[in-house]
Structures are given as structure tokens and as C-alpha cells.
Amino acid sequence: MVTIDTPASLESFRRFVISSTCKSYAPRAYLEDFEVFAEREDSLGAIYVEAADKVTLKKIRDITFVNAKDILGIIYNSKSGNTSLKWRQIRKNSGKVTGEASANSLTNLSESGVLTLEWVENYLKKKSQETKTKETS
């Protein structure tokens, strides 16, 4: 598990949630629409969008697609329980992602643009230094 605490755009986190859950079967129009988000019930690994304006569009498999505006936050929990992340609005479509992520989620976070290459490099440097410190003590 990796602790995540990084700034991220709303769109990058939206892409992360979709790629982690329903990219293979979501309608193309939903994938391309910046206002369409995925939600899922608590029992399956909760995904919840907190928004000032939200309308349910369609349920496909275990995902409910919603059209949402003025997003305040998004809660994402993986089915496995290994990833638990929150995106919180800081200003308009800019926010911060915090929580714990699995190795698989790290890949999706990187591909969707939530994590930058710089973040990954800094994380690897930090882990490398921790390993060296443990080996010398």
C-alpha cells in the first residue's frame, strides 16, 4: 500500500475511477463527457460523487453513471479493499487526492494523470533511501 497525498485535477481523477472500474464497457459518449462520473454501491467497494447537481443517467452492471456538476468531492474504494482514495475540491476543477493505493491502482493513477512521473520518481527515491537506512541499522 502506498500513501497518496497529491494535487490533481477533477478530470484526471474521473479518468482514474473509470479506468479502474468500467472502461471496457462504458459507452464511448460517457467516457468522453467531462460531466459523467461512475458510482457504485457500498457493498461492492463504494464510489460516491458529492456534487451540487447530480442526475442518474444509466446503470450498467454494477456501475451507475451520473451526470454531475459542481463536484465537491469523490470517494473511491476498490472492490478488493486495497485502495481507498478521496478527491476533494480546492478550487473549481482543481483538488487534492489523499488515501491509500495498491500497486494496481498506482498504475491507473499514473496513466490517468493523477500521479505525475515526477511524483513516482520522488516516491521511488524515498523508498530507496528508507531501504538503505534499514540495511545500515
Side-chain angles (χ1 to χ4, degrees), residues 15-27:
R15 286 193 314 261
F16 160 74
V17 171
I18 288 172
S19 65
S20 297
T21 57
C22 57
K23 190 175 182 179
S24 64
Y25 60 85

Side-chain angles (χ1 to χ4, degrees), residues 1-5 16 76 78 80-85 97-109 115 119 123:
M1 300 297 273
V2 176
T3 301
I4 305 293
D5 187 351
F16 160 74
Y76 171 83
S78 63
S80 67
N82 293 332
T83 298
S84 179
L85 296 169
V97 176
T98 57
E100 297 282 319
S102 67
N104 185 47
S105 290
L106 282 179
T107 302
N108 289 337
L109 285 164
L115 297 180
W119 189 96
Y123 175 77

Side-chain angles (χ1 to χ4, degrees), residues 37 39 48-56 66-69 71:
F37 294 82
E39 289 191 322
Y48 178 74
V49 177
E50 183 184 354
D53 183 20
K54 184 167 71 171
V55 178
T56 299
V66 295
N67 186 295
K69 295 177 185 161
I71 311 297

Side-chain angles (χ1 to χ4, degrees), residues 6-132:
T6 187
S9 69
L10 174 60
E11 176 56 16
S12 66
F13 197 71
R14 183 188 85 88
R15 286 193 314 261
F16 160 74
V17 171
I18 288 172
S19 65
S20 297
T21 57
C22 57
K23 190 175 182 179
S24 64
Y25 60 85
R28 184 185 250 353
Y30 289 180
L31 296 175
E32 295 171 357
D33 189 333
F34 300 133
E35 292 182 352
V36 175
F37 294 82
E39 289 191 322
R40 186 168 58 199
E41 295 176 23
D42 288 350
S43 61
L44 301 167
I47 303 171
Y48 178 74
V49 177
E50 183 184 354
D53 183 20
K54 184 167 71 171
V55 178
T56 299
L57 298 173
K58 189 175 193 178
K59 183 169 181 164
I60 302 173
R61 298 185 192 177
D62 61 344
I63 299 293
T64 301
F65 292 96
V66 295
N67 186 295
K69 295 177 185 161
D70 301 324
I71 311 297
L72 304 171
I74 301 172
I75 297 168
Y76 171 83
N77 294 296
S78 63
K79 280 185 180 180
S80 67
N82 293 332
T83 298
S84 179
L85 296 169
K86 291 180 182 174
W87 180 90
R88 283 277 162 231
Q89 180 191 51
I90 293 173
R91 188 179 312 123
K92 296 210 176 201
N93 292 332
S94 297
K96 187 174 192 178
V97 176
T98 57
E100 297 282 319
S102 67
N104 185 47
S105 290
L106 282 179
T107 302
N108 289 337
L109 285 164
S110 297
E111 288 177 355
S112 62
V114 172
L115 297 180
T116 62
L117 183 57
E118 179 185 18
W119 189 96
V120 173
E121 287 171 349
N122 288 338
Y123 175 77
L124 293 173
K125 280 181 196 171
K126 182 180 161 191
K127 282 297 171 192
S128 175
Q129 289 170 348
E130 287 174 8
T131 303
K132 287 176 186 173

